[in-house]
Amino acid sequence: MALVNEHFLKLPGSYLFSDIAKKINTFKVTHPKKDIIRLGIGDVTRPLPNACIEAMHKAVNDMAHADTFRGYGPEQGYDFLIEAIIKNDYASRGIHFSNSEIFINDGAKSDTGNIGDILRHDNSIGVTDPIYPVYIDSNVMCGRAGELETLTGKWSNVTYMPCTSENNFIPQIPNKRVDIVYLCYPNNPTGTTLTKAELKKWVDYALANDTLILFDAAYEAYIQEEDVPHSIYEIKGAKRCAIEFRSFSKTAGFTGIRCGYTVVPKELTAGTLTGERVSLNKLWNRRQCTKFNGTSYITQRAAEAIYSPEGKIEIKENIDYYMENARIMKETLESIGLRVYGGVNAPYIWIKTPIGVSSWKFFDKMLYEANVVGTPGVGFGPSGEGYFRLTAFGERDKCEEAMKRIKNWF
Ligand code: PLP
């Protein structure tokens, strides 16, 4: 008899967005004439930049001729893309990497979920709360998260660092050692950021405690303010304690195309039980060569085009478009007396629900009374209770209409 990985059975019944989809379906059946505006799931609506489309057409033509055809590519990604990343995302900020420190992937979800493959099952975990659910669920799947405490909604081997309006969404550094800490900045779901000085405290903690930081910078391209770091490697010493994840999904509309990358510096090591130090770059490379066969050539050519002069202009236009949505949303919601966070360096608006109204209650009321869909904050972790997330990724007219409806509803 084949036995299942029973850790999977510990995962709560369904995924947040399936619960939301079910509620929307029920609403649609009972209100077939109502038109719903969806500002819930964090998916983009602007089409791909023309520079990427042209690069993909050209890459398709390469595939049509024997002399330019590409079969299996390097598991780590093509040098043309890796070099564009190093030059534009890092060297431009005074950070230097060799090609073998960058691993191209099919999006940040895969690698933030898979990175646990190279880490022992009994490492302790620290997460900011609320949090992008993949970090927790992927640890549950291999048993690292422990058991779910049903009363609190927390996992027994996970240290939660609440981020709420009370601490201005700045997680407090744990007063004990944690082996692995997930940080995501700009943050999904709260849309908040850390300054360089605040992030430095985490790097210092990690270096002092031999902690590995898994830094998710999927929303880096949305940063507008000066003092917000785009990469954890802007902080001295971070190459010795952090892996960074980046994604082209929100930067350039690649949610459907699928491409991102992971940086695993050569200096970064972790221990064995006998006290040896092992290169995480070597382990990750080994893992990728066994379990991943590379991102498609056509996709990588599209990603390379993001860094062309035309590509840079086009992605900036798209990001500006979403950030203008965020501005409109934030202003409207504040004008009706709601407390609103995020939306300045990130395409997420994090709303405090009125006193006594739970995240799901707010969701239901907004769906039934304003016909607008958002995401209940509690779906991202216990400290998300009493909050609600809207995304700024919608089309402008939908976004404006949604704000009009919410204003009338209030
Ligand atoms: N990390 C964070 C914080 C996200 O919010 C998302 C997607 O919403 C991802 C990673 C996944 O991105 P990708 O589309 O690159 O898999």
Side-chain angles (χ1 to χ4, degrees), residues 42 107-110 132 135 184 188 216 218-219 247 249-250 258 348:
K109 189 187 222 176
S110 312
Y132 176 54
Y135 311 151
C184 171
N188 176 18
D216 187 344
Y219 297 94
S247 168
S249 284
K250 312 297 160 68
R258 310 300 307 142
Y348 292 116

Side-chain angles (χ1 to χ4, degrees), residues 15 17 41-43 105-112 131-135 183-189 216-219 245-250 254-256 258-261 348 380 389 393:
Y15 185 58
F17 290 104
I41 199 158
D43 198 0
N105 60 29
D106 60 355
K109 189 187 222 176
S110 312
D111 281 8
T112 51
I131 190 196
Y132 176 54
V134 172
Y135 311 151
L183 295 178
C184 171
Y185 288 100
N187 188 259
N188 176 18
D216 187 344
Y219 297 94
F245 304 93
R246 294 273 188 109
S247 168
F248 297 118
S249 284
K250 312 297 160 68
F254 273 47
T255 50
R258 310 300 307 142
C259 194
Y261 64 89
Y348 292 116
F380 298 100
R389 191 191 76 174
F393 287 125

Side-chain angles (χ1 to χ4, degrees), residues 321-385:
Y321 178 95
Y322 295 132
M323 289 313 286
E324 175 62 7
N325 283 352
R327 191 194 61 76
I328 294 168
M329 292 163 78
K330 199 170 159 67
E331 258 181 39
T332 313
L333 298 168
E334 280 170 348
S335 76
I336 56 175
L338 285 166
R339 279 161 66 201
V340 180
Y341 307 92
V344 175
N345 294 297
Y348 292 116
I349 305 283
W350 190 242
I351 303 167
K352 179 97 192 82
T353 59
I355 294 169
V357 181
S358 72
S359 294
W360 276 110
K361 182 86 193 155
F362 196 76
F363 173 91
D364 286 336
K365 282 176 84 66
M366 195 183 274
L367 173 60
Y368 279 79
E369 293 170 24
N371 310 145
V372 175
V373 174
T375 310
V378 70
F380 298 100
S383 298
E385 181 54 284

